[in-house]
Structures are given as structure tokens and as C-alpha cells.
Amino acid sequence: MSMIHVRTTINGDATEFVCDPRETMLDVLRDRLALTGAKEGCGTGDCGACSITLDGQVVCSCLMLAAEAEGTEIRTVEGIAEGEQLHVLQRKFLEHAALQCGICTPGILVASKALLDENPDPTETEIRYWLAGNLCRCTGYDKIIRAVTDAAAEIRETQ
Amino acid sequence: MEYFAPATVGEAVARAETEPGLVRFLAGGTDVLVQLRSGFVEPDLVVDIKRIPGMRAITAENGGWRIGAAVSGAELCRHSGVCADWPGVVEALELIGSTQIQGRATLVGNLCNASPAADSVPAMIAAQAMVAVAGPEGTRDVPVAGIPTGPGQTSLGSGEFITSVFLPARGDGGGDAYLRFIPRTEMDIAVVGCAVSLRVDGETVVDARICLGAVAPTALVVDDAARAIVGTRLDEAALSDLGAACSAACRPIDDKRGTVAFRTRVAGVLGRRAAAIAHDRARARTSE
């Protein structure tokens, strides 16, 4: 089976990798590029733990072949903080204890950041619908919603 | 499995036509990847159509809209022209899955997956949408209703794939709507779906097309329901006849999502409600 050479951009860095045609983007991120932030929860696009952005759009990396990444721009949870400086969403998740086991957190951070980039003042209903594809077994969601709401408020104040 | 990302429609057809094994065309992948990963479908060749020019484009054509086969739900929802003309088609696609799924899911993928419960298919059929099919014999235009032939089955032949959907000119006094029943608010598959597209002159319905999903092996066009409201102002008697016609047309199955009795009843309720929304939208367009 012939391997495929892919050139892409991940978190702003030009990246090349070689993959099997059957490998998903999630497989390549975790197993070939050592970017283990994105998690495999369900592997069928239901849980959102593998969320990344592809050309600015939130997608499930488990439902994308790695070969499709050619020429695209990908962002993962690893690209959210600036060096040691946590993103306001990451800070607010810690302050509000919006995570327990943490498996869903990278996907929720990626999806929430995409929401706030597009809509800096979402209602609670908008946040809940936007994150409907990010399942969390621990928190009951309320703390997550509070953290995102609070992060949005701080982003609006500082801009 | 081989992955092939052609630059032209001709390359895609030529490669798919000569593949002796199983071929799957890939746009958003939200169904294809699930099937591939579960081992349910093991293609020998995956043809990724996204690098073919036009597949990601929405263009005005003869007063209507041509939507490339790889246009995602998120992209369609951001297009003010399509949203203004065909809100029912847009809301049907937008109901499918999560934000993440919307980033990739397509109208054509929903059609070719050929689920009886596909949300956007009844809406496209009600809209009298056409698809452009490319294949070894060239290109042909086919009504959306002519594609699914049964659960998971389509009329597409070897080497054929859909390159775009065409939504016709909406015209004055036109409105459409799609509603579905699910037992929760998000992330579920329709127990019943109903699309209504109609045209009004003043308040009177002059033309209507009603299509049900998830109550038969393929989406069901209910001519009796349309006849029940044409010539009326969509008063209570007309709505009641429409609901009865929708219920009478159902040929559903019992499964974990709903019983025959429940689906039959809900089809009538959704038909009435979707018709009322389409009627309001049609009148709003008339008064603009």
C-alpha cells in the first residue's frame, strides 16, 4: 500500500508528514506528529473530543482523512496558548473548574475559541447549541458554559 | 485502499470507471469516514472531489443557485442569497449533527448516503431541486427525488457522481420550511421530517409541494396534501386536510426511534406546522 506525502500548516508551522491512505487526521496528529491534545472519544464524530479547526472551521479530526490536509491550515489545542501564556479560555476553565477528567477539554477549548472568534458576545443558548457536539461526562456542562461566558466578557473588555 | 484527489471531473470519472473494486466519492466525509472506520464499507478507492474547481462554490444561475457538491452546511448557512430564497433547505441541512459536522457535511452527501431519515432530502425534493450527475456518458441533470432508490441505495451508476445541486429561481410569493421531530434538541436523527414549499398570491396558496422523510424507504412526495391546501388561504379546514393526507401517505417502520402509530400521527402535525411557516415566509416575500 503506497504512502501519501502531505504538506500542511499546523498551528502556524509548515508541516510535512507521510501517512497511510486510511489514516485519519486524528491518527496522524497523535501518532506521527506527537500532538496528543486532540483525543479519540468515539471515533464517529459524535463526541467532539478530537475537534480541530480546518481552514478556520471546527471539524472532527476523526472524520477527516489525513490526506485531505494537503494545502490546508490546521489548528489544534496546542496552538491556543501563546508560549507559557494561557489563552483566556484556558484560564477561565481553570478558574471555574470547568473540567474534571479533562478528556473533552481540548475539543471544547478549540470549539469555544472558534465560537468566540466569530461571535464575541454569545448567549447561553448559543453557547449550548454551538457545543452540542462536545460531550462531557464529568461537569454537567454548567461550569463549561460559565467559563466560556466569562472568557467572552473578558475578551470584550480587553478589546 | 487508494486515495485519489483529482483536479478535474473528467479525471475523477475516468479513474472511478476503471476501478474494479468498490469506489466511494468523498466530500465532507461525515458518513463515508464513519462507514470506513467501522468496517461497514471498505472501499478500494476513495475519490476526494474537493480539489476539483467549483465543488466548493455557490453561484447564481438562471435566477436560482448552483451549489457545489462539497459546499458544507456552515458555508451554505453563511450565504445570504440562498438563505433568503430557500430557508427551508438551509434549515434542513443545518439541523444535521453538531457544529463540527456542519463544518463538513454537504447536501449531496446527505442525498447519496440515501438514509430514509435524511433531513435535507425532503427539503430539496419540495424545492424541486435538480442535481448534475457526471459520469462516463457525460453529464445529466436528475431531479433529487430520482437519486435515492431505497435505504442506502442510489440510482447512480458505475463511475457516476453528483457535482452540484441546483435550487431553481424562487420567484415572487414563494416560501419553504422544514421541520423534524427528534426526542431531544440537537444531535439526533429524524423520527419524522416534513418539508413544504409553496407559492401564494396574496394569502391564497396557488402551488404547493410537500415531502415527508423517515416514514417510507425513500422520501415521500404527498400530492394529496398539496391538493388539500392549493386554492385555500391555509385556513383550519385546509390544514386539517393536509395533516390527514400526510398521515395517510405514511408507510413507516417500527424501530427504536418511533412506532408506526407515532410516526403516522406526527407526520400530520409536522405537515401542518411546516405549511404554516412556509405560508408566513411566502407572504413576507410578497410584501417586500
Side-chain angles (χ1 to χ4, degrees):
Chain A
M1 192 174 291
S2 63
M3 300 292 271
I4 300 171
H5 177 215
V6 177
R7 283 149 301 194
T8 186
T9 304
I10 300 180
N11 298 326
D13 296 330
T15 306
E16 294 185 44
F17 59 83
V18 171
C19 68
D20 180 283
R22 291 183 60 97
E23 275 182 282
T24 65
M25 195 62 224
L26 178 63
D27 294 334
V28 166
L29 287 172
R30 292 183 59 82
D31 300 340
R32 295 189 185 273
L33 302 176
L35 292 169
T36 54
K39 302 289 187 280
E40 180 166 81
C42 63
T44 52
D46 294 300
C47 80
C50 65
S51 296
I52 60 170
T53 62
L54 172 67
D55 293 331
Q57 185 70 51
V58 194
V59 302
C60 291
S61 59
C62 76
L63 290 188
M64 172 185 169
L65 291 176
E68 295 180 68
E70 174 71 31
T72 64
E73 190 182 327
I74 284 169
R75 290 195 168 267
T76 70
V77 72
E78 285 89 348
I80 289 185
E82 289 188 31
E84 296 294 303
Q85 186 76 34
L86 291 182
H87 186 274
V88 55
L89 272 164
Q90 293 169 313
R91 208 156 28 74
K92 291 300 178 187
F93 268 61
L94 291 171
E95 279 177 28
H96 288 267
L99 67 154
Q100 288 177 38
C101 85
I103 289 282
C104 70
T105 311
I108 293 185
L109 287 169
V110 168
S112 302
K113 182 173 183 301
L115 170 64
L116 299 189
D117 287 348
E118 188 178 300
N119 176 4
D121 194 8
T123 64
E124 180 184 333
T125 301
E126 284 170 337
I127 298 170
R128 286 186 185 274
Y129 270 96
W130 184 273
L131 295 178
N134 289 91
L135 305 187
C136 172
R137 286 296 312 274
C138 302
T139 62
Y141 301 101
D142 281 351
K143 291 175 175 183
I144 293 170
I145 306 304
R146 274 180 236 146
V148 175
T149 306
D150 199 11
E154 185 173 314
I155 290 169
R156 289 198 305 277
E157 279 166 23
T158 54
Q159 278 176 353
Chain B
M1 185 186 100
E2 183 191 344
Y3 170 88
F4 179 55
T8 66
V9 170
E11 274 177 45
V13 170
R15 180 67 189 84
E17 188 190 6
T18 52
E19 170 60 46
L22 185 64
V23 180
R24 276 288 181 272
F25 289 92
L26 174 67
T30 55
D31 288 313
V32 171
L33 265 283
V34 173
Q35 292 166 3
L36 191 144
R37 300 294 286 179
S38 70
F40 180 67
V41 174
E42 296 186 37
D44 299 285
L45 172 67
V46 166
V47 182
D48 182 354
I49 62 169
K50 289 190 290 297
R51 290 181 213 167
I52 301 172
M55 292 296 140
R56 309 286 296 265
I58 302 174
T59 46
E61 182 179 314
N62 296 330
W65 298 104
R66 186 160 295 280
I67 300 160
V71 170
S72 70
E75 288 163 339
L76 194 69
C77 290
R78 281 195 291 266
H79 193 281
S80 56
V82 178
C83 290
D85 285 352
W86 295 102
V89 175
V90 174
E91 71 195 351
L93 182 62
E94 195 179 11
L95 279 172
I96 300 167
S98 58
T99 307
Q100 286 84 344
I101 298 300
Q102 284 295 310
R104 301 259 291 167
T106 66
L107 286 171
V108 170
N110 199 214
L111 177 61
C112 292
N113 190 52
S115 163
D119 287 303
S120 70
V121 174
M124 287 192 283
I125 291 174
Q128 297 195 279
M130 303 286 290
V131 292
V133 177
E137 313 298 324
T139 304
R140 60 195 174 101
D141 291 316
V142 182
V144 166
I147 298 297
T149 53
Q153 304 295 318
T154 71
S155 60
L156 296 172
S158 171
E160 285 192 324
F161 73 105
I162 295 173
T163 57
S164 65
V165 178
F166 178 68
L167 292 171
R170 178 69 275 197
D172 291 337
D176 72 332
Y178 176 79
L179 291 176
R180 72 172 179 190
F181 177 85
I182 56 173
R184 48 208 280 210
T185 54
E186 273 282 81
M187 301 285 287
D188 210 342
I189 292 169
V191 178
V192 180
C194 182
V196 176
S197 176
L198 51 77
R199 188 178 309 285
V200 295
D201 181 357
E203 291 202 354
T204 305
V205 179
V206 293
D207 188 25
R209 201 165 149 85
I210 296 169
C211 187
L212 294 169
V215 295
T218 57
L220 217 56
V221 176
V222 189
D223 290 332
D224 285 346
R227 274 194 285 275
I229 60 169
V230 170
T232 76
R233 294 185 169 194
L234 211 66
D235 49 38
E236 184 49 38
L239 282 172
S240 176
D241 291 347
L242 176 156
C246 285
S247 291
C250 291
R251 292 181 275 117
I253 56 168
D254 274 317
D255 69 5
K256 62 184 177 185
R257 294 199 182 86
T259 61
V260 167
F262 182 81
R263 285 189 157 108
T264 303
R265 184 186 171 108
V266 169
V269 175
L270 292 184
R272 295 166 54 117
R273 291 181 186 171
I277 296 168
H279 194 245
D280 285 345
R281 287 175 178 168
R283 284 187 299 165
R285 276 179 74 92
T286 313
S287 57
E288 272 168 13

